[in-house]
Amino acid sequence: MKKPPTPRKRASAKEADPQKVKKAFVLDTSVILYDHSAVEHFGEHDVAIPITVLEELDNFKKGNDIKNFEAREFIRFIDNLSNEHMLQTWLPLEGSNKGRFKVLMSHTAPVDAEKIFSDNKADHKILNATLALQQEMPDHKVVLVTKDINLRLKARALNLSAEDYETGKIQNVTNLYRGNDLVEDIPHPVITKLYDEGECPVEEALPNPPSDNHYFILRSTKSSALAYYNPEQRVLERVDKLTAVGIKPRNAEQTFALHAILHPEIKLVSIQGVAGTGKTLLALAGALEQRDTYNQIYLARPIVPLSNRDLGFLPGDANSKIGPYMEPLWDNLKFIQNQFTPHSKESNKIKEMVEEERLVITPLAYIRGRSLSNIIFIVDEAQNLTPHEVKTIISRAGQNTKIIFTGDIYQIDTPYLDSQSNGLSYLIDKAKNHKLYAHVTLQKGERSELANLANDLL
């Protein structure tokens, strides 16, 4: 009779806990340009950067873009950290429960990535530095951290652990806050009260209080109503279909978005939706409707150059270079103007606002560093911003300022960002349930039947 197999020895709690494993993280340039404070976000583990990263950052230190700011801030951080010490030795990071930091110089790696991939690229030098550290620290798990997917694949091909930079990343965008919901089986007296009195106590309609400034389509067996949760009064208020400079919402979600844009107590708005859902048009129309409330209207968008090449390679002066990127914003303004006859009072007012620079359409880079007081500020294509860029913009808000972010979190044009790590997703996740903030997700395309066909079938 065969002897039963000996049970495998169960690993101890210490062995099973991956948090107890000593780790050393190597950061590449893309991580630093995404977040200059990344070195401080790895807890008690050691963090290093190859000397090649410092060389690459030197190319980014000049300019007004956010990546130039990140490069400069990181260089200052390293300068303060090193002070009178050498960067080739491990330096303790400031703060409790922090690891160490150092710069990896050129070392001979057991495997030469430059020979394997037949190219003398900076990425391959970073791989060699990581391989050398792995050999130098056999008691540590060495991990390359990069937002470059291809570099992660190359690292894994060399038997290196490689990860994305997770700080500020939303884990599940499928469950990202939508800002509006359909609620069925609402008692009919609630709908009646909303129409007769304009509001009703939230507990009469919903079992639990919703998020601040949340929107609802409420349906009973006989009728329906659009409603909004007022966090100050703690009641549901009826939402009416409003018109802004001739633009009328075409569905419930657009009605919610325009309500949030026009609401004086809501100072921060985000609108998420695919192309053709009317995000930018509603934001601009709502801003123009409030032209007497704010001194200026700024409509800006981040510029993502063709093939990620700098704008300098384009011919012409600054306006000629940025013109093509701003054209979609002008298209929306022209659409609004076309709601009126060419020489009507409303059309002339819009022209005057542009001429007097009370309505300014500009690249986002031209806005950074300014104090934003008494303006309504629309940031289009916000999915192409990093979380830090979004934070920087909002932190510039002064008295009587409203900021509106629009975009599609699934339409990313910026390298190293995705639906989970972009600034718009980050804002929606972090700002929900705040009385100054409202978010609306637009789902139905209203541009044309042909545009809807493209979104639905292609």
Side-chain angles (χ1 to χ4, degrees):
M1 184 176 177
K2 277 191 177 181
K3 205 175 172 185
T6 305
R8 293 180 63 185
K9 184 180 178 182
R10 177 177 288 182
S12 66
K14 185 175 181 180
E15 293 172 331
D17 187 359
Q19 299 298 323
K20 299 297 183 182
V21 177
K22 292 182 180 179
K23 292 182 180 180
F25 293 95
V26 179
L27 313 188
D28 91 327
T29 313
S30 65
V31 175
I32 305 303
L33 295 178
Y34 179 83
D35 179 6
H36 69 268
S37 63
V39 168
E40 301 179 281
H41 295 157
F42 290 88
E44 72 277 13
H45 302 294
D46 296 334
V47 184
I49 62 165
I51 189 65
T52 307
V53 170
L54 279 181
E55 293 173 359
E56 288 195 305
L57 289 175
D58 192 56
N59 298 324
F60 288 100
K61 67 183 181 183
K62 293 181 180 179
N64 297 319
D65 201 44
I66 190 67
K67 63 186 177 184
N68 309 119
F69 166 81
E70 299 287 354
R72 290 191 293 268
E73 286 297 300
F74 181 76
I75 292 169
R76 292 189 189 104
F77 167 77
I78 297 302
D79 183 47
N80 292 333
L81 178 66
S82 59
N83 201 5
E84 297 177 357
H85 302 283
M86 297 297 105
L87 289 171
Q88 295 184 52
T89 58
W90 288 106
L91 302 175
L93 291 167
E94 294 181 3
S96 59
N97 198 30
K98 294 286 186 179
R100 303 172 297 169
F101 171 83
K102 82 169 183 175
V103 174
L104 305 177
M105 306 303 291
S106 299
H107 293 292
T108 304
V111 179
D112 191 343
E114 293 179 276
K115 287 184 179 179
I116 290 175
F117 296 113
S118 304
D119 198 351
N120 186 26
K121 290 175 64 176
D123 282 356
H124 302 154
K125 292 179 180 179
I126 292 171
L127 288 171
N128 278 342
T130 309
L131 287 164
L133 184 65
Q134 188 179 54
Q135 186 179 42
E136 178 187 325
M137 304 177 74
D139 58 331
H140 284 62
K141 180 182 179 181
V142 176
V143 181
L144 175 63
V145 182
T146 172
K147 300 199 72 62
D148 187 333
I149 297 175
N150 201 47
L151 183 55
R152 292 203 295 268
L153 295 176
K154 286 182 176 181
R156 291 164 189 159
L158 297 175
N159 203 30
L160 277 173
S161 295
E163 298 175 0
D164 191 4
Y165 180 61
E166 298 288 339
T167 300
K169 194 166 186 175
I170 309 305
Q171 295 304 315
N172 188 356
V173 293
T174 305
N175 297 326
L176 192 64
Y177 179 63
R178 295 179 63 253
N180 47 277
D181 284 305
L182 167 65
V183 182
E184 304 273 10
D185 301 322
I186 295 294
H188 186 64
V190 169
I191 306 294
T192 302
K193 185 178 286 188
L194 280 171
Y195 278 106
D196 293 344
E197 302 177 16
E199 64 180 45
C200 78
V202 65
E203 57 271 13
E204 292 184 15
L206 303 170
N208 300 306
S211 298
D212 291 354
N213 301 317
H214 196 84
Y215 290 92
F216 296 95
I217 303 173
L218 303 176
R219 285 182 183 170
S220 69
T221 54
K222 298 180 181 179
S223 59
S224 64
L226 304 182
Y228 146 82
Y229 177 61
N230 185 324
E232 294 290 345
Q233 305 298 326
R234 305 186 68 84
V235 296
L236 288 175
E237 296 180 357
R238 188 182 73 245
V239 174
D240 297 319
K241 283 194 175 183
L242 304 173
T243 300
V245 288
I247 302 299
K248 188 173 183 179
R250 296 185 178 181
N251 56 50
E253 287 81 11
Q254 286 192 353
T255 302
F256 297 151
L258 191 55
H259 178 275
I261 293 165
L262 296 175
H263 199 294
E265 300 302 321
I266 299 175
K267 299 300 184 181
L268 179 62
V269 178
S270 61
I271 306 173
Q272 204 285 123
V274 299
T277 49
K279 307 179 295 294
T280 309
L281 180 63
L282 288 168
L284 181 55
L288 287 169
E289 186 68 22
Q290 302 172 85
R291 57 185 175 269
D292 294 332
T293 305
Y294 300 95
N295 291 344
Q296 279 185 306
I297 298 170
Y298 274 98
L299 183 56
R301 58 170 14 201
I303 290 180
V304 183
L306 183 66
S307 301
N308 299 309
R309 295 175 66 185
D310 191 86
L311 286 177
F313 82 94
L314 292 172
D317 59 15
N319 289 330
S320 300
K321 294 173 189 292
I322 66 176
Y325 298 97
M326 299 298 108
E327 202 61 40
L329 307 183
W330 289 110
D331 288 343
N332 281 283
L333 183 60
K334 290 172 187 174
F335 183 87
I336 292 173
Q337 285 183 290
N338 289 337
Q339 306 303 305
F340 311 103
T341 56
H343 300 291
S344 66
K345 182 179 178 181
E346 292 83 358
S347 182
N348 288 333
K349 278 186 177 180
I350 295 174
K351 289 178 184 176
E352 287 175 10
M353 290 185 70
V354 175
E355 291 169 358
E356 296 171 2
E357 294 190 346
R358 289 189 59 217
L359 172 60
V360 182
I361 296 179
T362 183
L364 190 59
Y366 290 10
I367 300 296
R368 291 194 187 96
R370 299 189 59 179
S371 179
L372 308 175
S373 297
N374 294 307
I375 72 167
I376 187 163
F377 186 22
I378 302 168
V379 182
D380 195 33
E381 302 290 346
Q383 77 278 2
N384 287 321
L385 300 173
T386 67
H388 187 268
E389 286 179 290
V390 168
K391 178 182 177 180
T392 300
I393 293 166
I394 298 172
S395 65
R396 291 291 173 182
Q399 292 298 318
N400 192 37
T401 287
K402 185 164 194 161
I403 303 179
I404 305 167
F405 290 91
T406 68
D408 177 8
I409 62 171
Y410 299 104
Q411 190 69 41
I412 309 292
D413 302 310
T414 305
Y416 313 135
L417 293 182
D418 55 31
S419 61
Q420 295 173 281
S421 61
N422 71 86
L424 182 57
S425 294
Y426 183 79
L427 171 65
I428 296 168
D429 183 66
K430 298 299 181 183
K432 63 179 182 289
N433 201 29
H434 194 287
K435 66 179 182 179
L436 294 181
Y437 172 73
H439 171 69
V440 177
T441 301
L442 303 180
Q443 294 182 312
K444 187 178 179 182
E446 296 290 355
R447 183 172 288 167
S448 68
E449 290 185 9
L450 183 57
N452 291 343
L453 180 148
N455 287 328
D456 295 340
L457 302 180
L458 303 181

